[in-house]
Amino acid sequence: MPDRPLKVLIAKPGLDGHDRGAKVLARGLRDEGFEVVYTGLRQTPEMVVTAALQEDVDVVGLSILSGAHMTLVPKVCRLLREQGIDDVLVVVGGIIPDDDVAALKEAGVAATFGPGTTIGEVAEFLRSNAKPRG
Amino acid sequence: MIPADPDALAQAALGGDRRALARILTAVENRTPAAEAALRILYPKAGRAHLVGITGPPGSGKSTLVSAIIANAREAGRAVGVVAVAPSSPITGGALLGDRVRMQSYAGDSSVFIRSMAARGHAGGLAPTSTAAAAVLDACGFDLVLLETVGTGQSEVEVAAAADTTVVLEAPEMGDEVQAIKAGLLEVADIVVVNKGDRPGAQRTASQLRAMLVGSGRVGRREGSNDRPRPKEPEVLVTTATTGDGVPELMAALARHRQGRPSGADDPTRRARAAAQVWAILGDRVRAELEGGSRVATTEAVIREVAEHRLDPFGAADRLLATLRTGGQ
């Protein structure tokens, strides 16, 4: 079925409690026709990867506002690769300084979305770049 | 990498490859030909798990209770699979699958597998492919498979056909005795759980439910007086899923219910489930035949006659069935 919904995991790794952005995006992507798995606050990288594996998502979206992205994001990417999950699109949202973006892309992130990004922009990027499951 | 070939994928899943299992569930959900090929291998391995349906109104604590049941089952060394269904938007087709929020603590435990599913327009409380997904988990060695429905109202009773044991959750103070004797969801319960047992009124709600549900199969009837279907007589329990209070008692009630059932194909619930699956697939196949290839023109012409009120829908169905019988064009 070619036009089945894309499945997106929205996860908040780390300890910051600011989940408004993740929830707004989860709801916004729902309205854009995505199937969104939302996992809630305070996820370890292992929990994120377990959820991505079991749910067989097309996209992993990480929301981080704590400043710990240089630790958490590469770890999630590494664990995904260790599980053989090499066909999932990883994107990051939150407060990501410009200087860090190149390193995150090096680690395996397809895009970062900072403050001011519209839901439409995120949806469009995911539709153009995710590889849907057979 | 996981194999693309469905047979190899099924063998990998049977061998414990959780990623292969996840990919098969995706195929099942999307109803691809790969799913049929994989199920051909997996279905004969299924039939051993205890399939437990968890249903009840939105916010009654289904996901939290599922999490508490997982914890208890893991202590007993059982492998647990979960299919958690959430509603799809009738407007956009999108869905927010949030049940994992309450089921966090099992990362790294390969004996727990949780899968969210969007209902994709299906109205009975489950997704159209939930039964098949449960069979896949069953085949892959999960001996307890929990089917969590969308938040239900009074009449989404589909889960009772999909599960061996149906647990209906109620929250305290959700209604009086008259609510308890309305037809529908409570009638299909094998076990009724009043969750949020730490809230005021939980015990009173449980007492009211007991008063109205227990013995209901016998009221005003002599033994053997007729063979009309009788309502079930569910046990009524109180749990506090957030603390785990009452959950061991629920586990014991689940085991009692399962032991009381006939095994295998002697269980009418299992026969009904088998029949429902076959009829649903048969319906899909008949439709595919009529909408495909050389028959599509005839089918459309007949449907058009119905739209123009020149033919009634029953006559149309008979005519289309006849084209299948003759293999005609």
Side-chain angles (χ1 to χ4, degrees):
Chain A
M1 227 182 282
D3 56 344
R4 68 158 192 90
L6 282 171
K7 195 167 178 184
V8 182
L9 179 73
I10 299 289
K12 270 201 69 64
L15 296 175
D16 79 84
H18 304 281
D19 60 354
R20 177 62 61 87
K23 283 177 175 160
V24 167
L25 183 66
R27 188 260 157 93
L29 291 178
R30 182 203 83 180
D31 291 344
E32 291 279 342
F34 292 79
E35 289 181 352
V36 183
V37 181
Y38 180 65
T39 62
L41 287 166
R42 297 186 194 94
Q43 303 283 296
T44 62
E46 287 79 6
M47 289 157 100
V48 175
V49 172
T50 299
L53 184 147
Q54 294 181 349
E55 300 289 352
D56 196 23
V57 289
D58 306 298
V59 179
V60 173
L62 304 171
S63 168
I64 305 178
L65 294 98
S66 64
H69 50 273
M70 295 305 285
T71 307
L72 293 167
V73 174
K75 184 157 187 205
V76 169
C77 292
R78 181 169 59 75
L79 290 173
L80 284 169
R81 276 196 300 274
E82 280 175 18
Q83 294 286 335
I85 306 176
D86 46 13
D87 52 357
V88 73
L89 190 72
V90 180
V91 295
V92 179
I95 309 294
I96 310 294
D98 292 345
D99 291 350
D100 293 344
V101 172
L104 291 178
K105 289 195 170 166
E106 183 67 24
V109 171
T112 59
F113 299 106
T117 311
T118 67
I119 285 164
E121 284 164 29
V122 177
E124 196 44 52
F125 183 86
L126 301 186
R127 281 193 201 101
S128 315
N129 291 280
K131 285 170 275 186
R133 304 279 173 261
Chain B
M1 283 301 289
I2 48 170
D5 168 57
D7 292 8
L9 205 55
Q11 294 302 344
L14 287 173
D17 182 337
R18 295 300 184 232
R19 189 138 186 263
L21 167 56
R23 186 55 53 86
I24 291 170
L25 291 174
T26 303
V28 165
E29 224 181 334
N30 292 334
R31 304 203 226 190
T32 63
E36 281 182 35
L39 274 170
R40 226 161 265 146
I41 293 170
L42 295 174
Y43 198 82
K45 312 270 185 197
R48 288 171 298 178
H50 187 191
L51 305 184
V52 175
I54 309 281
T55 189
S60 53
K62 293 181 293 299
S63 302
T64 311
L65 186 66
V66 164
S67 187
I69 291 173
I70 296 172
N72 270 264
R74 290 302 297 132
E75 274 175 32
R78 302 169 74 190
V80 189
V82 178
V83 176
V85 186
S88 292
S89 162
I91 317 281
T92 66
L96 187 79
L97 313 169
D99 295 309
R100 294 189 84 95
V101 175
R102 314 277 175 223
M103 309 175 195
Q104 293 293 345
S105 326
Y106 310 100
D109 181 351
S110 66
S111 295
V112 177
F113 193 102
I114 300 163
R115 179 66 174 236
S116 315
M117 282 183 120
R120 298 198 177 167
H122 195 71
L126 294 173
T129 53
S130 297
T131 303
V136 170
L137 289 168
D138 179 348
C140 290
F142 293 92
D143 44 14
L144 176 62
V145 175
L146 304 170
L147 273 166
E148 182 190 334
T149 71
V150 304
T152 51
Q154 291 178 318
S155 64
E156 290 95 335
V157 297
E158 187 182 39
V159 67
D164 300 323
T165 306
T166 302
V167 177
V168 176
L169 262 74
E170 294 279 327
E173 309 283 19
M174 287 285 282
D176 62 3
E177 291 168 333
V178 180
Q179 291 298 342
I181 53 176
K182 286 183 180 168
L185 192 60
L186 278 169
E187 279 185 293
V188 302
D190 299 303
I191 300 168
V192 174
V193 168
V194 178
N195 191 35
K196 310 195 185 190
D198 53 344
R199 297 287 175 86
Q203 294 298 339
R204 187 171 62 234
T205 299
S207 310
Q208 287 177 341
L209 285 165
R210 266 184 214 115
M212 300 316 288
L213 296 174
V214 174
S216 57
R218 292 189 295 269
V219 173
R221 283 187 179 168
R222 265 182 232 111
E223 205 55 48
S225 61
N226 64 43
D227 47 6
R228 285 171 53 202
R230 291 172 177 221
K232 296 174 176 178
E233 293 190 34
E235 285 193 57
V236 180
L237 304 173
V238 177
T239 62
T240 308
T242 48
T243 63
D245 282 354
V247 179
E249 290 78 3
L250 172 59
M251 302 303 285
L254 289 171
R256 272 198 301 279
H257 182 262
R258 192 185 194 199
Q259 274 161 16
R261 311 285 306 172
S263 65
D266 292 334
D267 184 343
T269 312
R270 290 205 171 202
R271 278 206 309 279
R273 181 156 70 235
Q277 291 181 87
V278 174
W279 287 120
I281 293 164
L282 198 59
D284 288 347
R285 295 251 154 109
V286 167
R287 187 168 172 167
E289 280 288 319
L290 290 168
E291 286 182 334
S294 57
R295 289 199 177 88
V296 65
T298 316
T299 304
E300 278 174 7
V302 170
I303 289 172
R304 190 177 175 84
E305 281 188 58
V306 176
E308 289 165 347
H309 291 263
R310 289 191 289 119
L311 179 64
D312 70 282
F314 298 100
D318 286 341
R319 203 185 291 175
L320 291 176
L321 269 181
T323 69
L324 284 181
R325 280 196 203 100
T326 56
Q329 301 300 302

